[in-house]
Amino acid sequence: MISRKNASISKFIIHKVGNKFNDTKNAFSEKLVDFDEASYDLMLPFLLRPFGSVVQSYRFNHHANIALNEINSYCTQLFNDEDSFIDISKHIVTHLYEQSSSAQIKTGDVLVVMFEGIEFRDMTTNALGIFKIENKVNFFQTYLENNSYDVLVQKGISSKKVDKGCLILNQSDTEGNIILSVDNNSYDAQYWLNHFLNIKYADDANNHTQQYIELCKDFSTEIIKTSYGAQEQNMFLAKTIDFFKENEVVNVERFKEELFENEKQIREFENYKKEFEGEQNLVIRNQFNVAEAVVTKEKRKIKTDIKLDTHIQIKLDIDAPDASSEYLERGYDEEKKMHYYKVFFNAEN
């Protein structure tokens, strides 16, 4: 997460990126944008607002040497010599163009921006922002002609959200520059994250927490729900979140002891964990610190509804992991030949 309260734009340029697959060409600007006050006041929060809620960060990646990562190289040059900003911004767009290897990749505007005064984890730094605008929206424009007002439709950039964007901070740790990324049109995540930026998640508590919760969510869907039912799935997810909320450090062995009642379920989890690590090409640590911000964010995404084919839904409270086992009973009615849920309560709210 960043703070933009003291941030400012020092350099800003717009280019057009084409599509190599469709043989549409790039178009380059030769001058920086000179904002008027109104457009500047709208542009600055438009670009930086998405990063205010980003929890996880990335680092540059390369199979041979990080120095050979194109965007890493361009950033290093810019942070050392901002006078080369226009030329390097063109190289960035050319590199983006080279990744458009299918008709699915959209053309669009590319905004290359230098920011100052970005606050991140008690640090204040400058940063390079790269944004791609892929979708334009229709809006009505009124105009006066012959003493009467008329209206026409024009296309423009929506000020609500950017399509794709990254913020590369001029601050680093042992893994390299800190990078934040957003993608609201994730039709091809490989194109933006892996091919253009070539970045990977940072090896930190945020990433470890995210990976483990993703493992538990997938395990609950593919194994628990299939073998034990939706009620057991939701109980497991609620207990998982509760475990992360109650512990500053996750120990995998302790997690298994607290969440599973028998050796069969433990073996199912261990087998699934190995498959998950193989498919995702990662190794989940046996012990790691919990990132509270990631837990809070992931908790909002978890759905604990039991949807029935009789058009009835039962919504369980993820903050009450024991409520399902205590107050919800599943059974089978021989006369109706149907399953049922029995709900116990004292009063309706």
Side-chain angles (χ1 to χ4, degrees):
M1 298 182 183
I2 66 160
S3 172
R4 54 183 171 88
K5 62 181 180 180
N6 296 317
S8 62
I9 296 172
S10 60
K11 287 183 171 61
F12 185 106
I13 197 166
I14 303 173
H15 303 296
K16 298 277 187 179
V17 64
N19 183 302
K20 182 171 62 173
F21 186 87
N22 294 329
D23 200 31
T24 51
K25 304 300 182 183
N26 298 331
F28 296 110
S29 298
E30 299 299 332
K31 294 182 179 180
L32 301 180
V33 172
D34 185 15
F35 288 103
D36 59 40
E37 185 176 354
S39 58
Y40 180 89
D41 289 344
L42 190 61
M43 182 63 73
L44 181 61
F46 165 66
L47 297 178
L48 292 181
R49 189 185 302 115
F51 302 105
S53 58
V54 169
V55 175
Q56 288 181 270
S57 62
Y58 296 85
R59 302 295 182 273
F60 284 118
N61 186 39
H62 196 275
H63 69 277
N65 189 320
I66 295 296
L68 299 176
N69 180 299
E70 288 88 345
I71 301 301
N72 181 34
S73 174
Y74 296 143
C75 286
T76 301
Q77 294 176 59
L78 279 177
F79 290 144
N80 291 330
D81 179 20
E82 287 194 22
D83 291 338
S84 58
F85 177 79
I86 294 177
D87 288 338
I88 291 178
S89 71
K90 294 178 183 178
H91 295 324
I92 289 172
V93 173
T94 300
H95 176 59
L96 181 61
Y97 175 82
E98 290 300 321
Q99 314 314 312
S100 56
S101 56
S102 75
Q104 189 179 18
I105 304 301
K106 299 177 181 179
T107 61
D109 298 339
V110 179
L111 319 179
V112 184
V113 188
M114 289 298 297
F115 296 99
E116 295 180 356
I118 300 290
E119 296 177 19
F120 178 80
R121 295 178 184 170
D122 299 323
M123 303 181 299
T124 300
T125 185
N126 59 330
L128 172 67
I130 306 169
F131 306 87
K132 185 184 178 192
I133 308 300
E134 298 178 326
N135 296 315
K136 300 289 181 70
V137 297
N138 293 325
F139 65 92
F140 293 108
Q141 178 67 52
T142 59
Y143 64 96
L144 182 65
E145 186 176 27
N146 298 326
N147 295 322
S148 295
Y149 280 98
D150 206 339
V151 64
L152 58 83
V153 175
Q154 293 182 323
K155 282 187 175 292
I157 299 172
S158 170
S159 61
K160 292 183 178 180
K161 63 180 182 180
V162 298
D163 293 318
K164 295 182 185 328
C166 71
L167 196 64
I168 304 161
L169 305 185
N170 190 16
Q171 289 287 343
S172 60
D173 54 20
T174 56
E175 295 183 82
N177 285 84
I178 298 164
I179 306 162
L180 307 176
S181 180
V182 294
D183 188 352
N184 289 307
N185 290 339
S186 54
Y187 60 90
D188 188 352
Q190 300 293 320
Y191 159 69
W192 182 254
L193 292 177
N194 294 349
H195 298 159
F196 171 57
L197 295 173
N198 193 4
I199 54 179
K200 62 180 180 180
Y201 278 123
D203 184 20
D204 59 11
N206 290 323
N207 186 34
H208 302 149
T209 303
Q210 174 80 28
Q211 289 174 349
Y212 203 84
I213 293 178
E214 286 294 333
L215 163 67
C216 292
K217 286 162 59 178
D218 289 358
F219 175 75
S220 76
T221 300
E222 297 185 23
I223 304 299
I224 295 183
K225 185 178 181 180
T226 302
S227 302
Y228 304 101
Q231 183 182 2
E232 290 291 330
Q233 177 196 22
N234 289 315
M235 286 172 55
F236 171 77
L237 289 172
K239 289 180 178 179
T240 296
I241 295 299
D242 193 58
F243 184 90
F244 274 80
K245 287 163 55 181
E246 294 295 326
N247 293 275
E248 294 182 357
V249 176
V250 167
N251 180 281
V252 173
E253 294 302 318
R254 186 159 164 257
F255 174 86
K256 291 186 291 186
E257 289 174 4
E258 290 197 16
L259 266 75
F260 299 113
E261 297 179 355
N262 55 61
E263 287 295 325
K264 179 187 176 184
Q265 291 179 333
I266 291 176
R267 286 195 302 272
E268 288 175 332
F269 183 77
E270 289 173 342
N271 292 334
Y272 188 85
K273 178 174 175 287
K274 290 178 182 178
E275 293 178 8
F276 182 86
E277 289 174 321
E279 291 173 358
Q280 301 295 325
N281 192 27
L282 55 85
V283 176
I284 293 176
R285 294 192 178 186
N286 290 323
Q287 184 166 301
F288 55 88
N289 294 327
V290 172
E292 293 183 13
V294 175
V295 176
T296 301
K297 189 173 183 179
E298 290 303 308
K299 174 187 164 184
R300 297 193 197 105
K301 299 179 184 178
I302 295 176
K303 306 298 182 184
T304 55
D305 297 354
I306 300 176
K307 296 182 180 181
L308 309 177
D309 59 3
T310 50
H311 306 291
I312 293 174
Q313 295 185 31
I314 302 172
K315 185 178 179 66
L316 305 177
D317 188 348
I318 196 169
D319 290 319
D322 297 324
S324 177
S325 58
E326 292 182 15
Y327 307 121
L328 191 64
E329 182 181 306
R330 191 175 192 271
Y332 186 80
D333 189 297
E334 291 291 347
E335 185 176 335
K336 289 189 174 183
K337 305 299 182 186
M338 297 176 70
H339 297 282
Y340 66 82
Y341 279 105
K342 185 188 292 185
V343 182
F344 299 90
F345 64 95
N346 293 312
E348 295 181 355
N349 292 329

